[in-house]
């Protein structure tokens, strides 16, 4: 198995896959509530599709042990899916560009900080949630609506992630 | 000024105003991702209105000092607004039922735990964000779209909140 090196998550590197949800990535920010609060505005393209609607759920994830073997990916063709960490712990993000069958060499691994969420654009291949260190909750904003909305593939060649 | 006593936030008490976003309030929960994660499903009625869409922002709020005087409320007639704490600290929720002019005696104050979000239904009067203890971030899911979507009123009689 090949090793896959994680790089720090940032908005520019993640742009082909969706958005990083963090205050620092905001293109618009402004004071509200008589100056007591700053609004970092509209950080993700929430896309429930034409016939769906956005829903909010909590995912409670068991931590993964490293090195972790990545042998499959999934995608949601009909809508975006956003994850925001609630438990103050970093996590791993594994993605591949949209397309029928992602090549192993096109996988990217990001180490997300505890204050960074991600929003996968519709159709972006990604690994299911990879919590680290301890059981962790995430707020998830995705789609409800008609039609099948989850494809899974097994990679031709498994890879493994290790932080070293 | 009259004192207003905060009670612990729970889904049943908050039901007239919207939903509490917490794993424990889920009516549906199921394992996903080969059993590594539990999905607490569809915890809030995200309502961007017929002509709007849901957006995600971060609010960075300065903490309020107690006792805190409540002299105004606001409402968003065209859509829901959800807040999920990201900084691991409790906060205060002040609400009043929909209607043209909330009476001071109908105000309710809830003390939310760090793992509880709230979703205000469209038209529900509420006080702007009341962080406690230290600067705190919240993930906010509300509406973008045409038309004015914020009404403010000054209460006939100010009240104050103190935790004692």
């Amino acid at each position: 198995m090949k090793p896959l090196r994680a790089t720090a998550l940032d908005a520019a590197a993640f742009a082909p896959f969706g958005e990083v949800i963090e205050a620092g990535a905001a293109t618009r920010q402004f004071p509200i509530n008589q100056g007591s609060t700053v609004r970092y505005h509209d950080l993700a393209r929430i896309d429930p599709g034409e016939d769906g609607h956005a829903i909010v759920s909590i995912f409670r994830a068991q931590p993964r042990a490293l090195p972790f073997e990545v042998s499959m990916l999934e995608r949601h063709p009909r809508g975006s899916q956003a994850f925001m960490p609630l438990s103050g712990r970093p996590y791993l993000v594994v993605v591949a560009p949209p397309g029928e069958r992602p090549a192993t060499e096109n996988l990217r691994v990001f180490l997300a900080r505890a204050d960074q969420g991600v929003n996968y654009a519709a159709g972006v291949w990604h690994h299911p949630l990879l919590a680290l260190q301890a059981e962790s909750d995430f707020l998830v904003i995705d789609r409800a609506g008609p039609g099948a909305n989850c494809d899974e593939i097994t990679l031709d060649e498994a890879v493994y992630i290790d932080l070293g």
Side-chain angles (χ1 to χ4, degrees), chain A:
Chain A
M1 279 194 296
K2 284 188 189 168
L4 251 186
R5 240 184 88 232
T7 57
L9 180 65
D10 75 71
F14 193 72
F17 311 105
E19 298 87 32
V20 177
I21 302 172
E22 60 178 336
T27 54
R28 286 180 64 198
Q29 62 181 77
F30 42 90
I32 58 171
N33 302 346
Q34 289 82 45
S36 66
T37 294
V38 176
R39 180 175 179 128
Y40 299 90
H41 186 71
D42 195 5
L43 300 170
R45 187 167 172 270
I46 301 301
D47 170 20
E50 289 199 1
D51 56 355
H53 62 277
I55 60 171
V56 170
S57 303
I58 290 173
F59 282 17
R60 180 160 293 167
Q62 297 308 310
R64 309 296 184 129
L66 296 175
F68 179 78
E69 182 182 329
V70 174
S71 59
M72 59 76 69
L73 296 174
E74 65 179 32
R75 67 175 175 184
H76 308 300
R78 297 177 188 268
S80 60
Q81 187 176 44
F83 291 82
M84 191 75 201
L86 300 175
S87 297
R89 278 185 278 274
Y91 61 103
L92 288 168
V93 173
V94 181
V95 284
E100 272 323 291
R101 192 160 183 89
T104 299
E105 60 262 33
N106 292 334
L107 263 61
R108 295 290 307 273
V109 187
F110 297 100
L111 179 61
R113 298 192 313 263
D115 64 342
Q116 292 179 310
V118 289
N119 184 46
Y120 300 123
V124 165
W125 292 103
H126 58 276
H127 195 277
L129 196 48
L130 294 174
L132 298 174
Q133 300 173 353
E135 182 180 88
S136 300
D137 285 358
F138 294 78
L139 196 73
V140 176
I141 306 159
D142 59 7
R143 171 194 181 268
N149 191 27
C150 193
D151 301 328
E152 277 190 28
I153 51 144
T154 302
L155 293 173
D156 288 330
E157 185 185 11
V159 292
Y160 70 90
I161 307 169
D162 202 345
L163 300 181

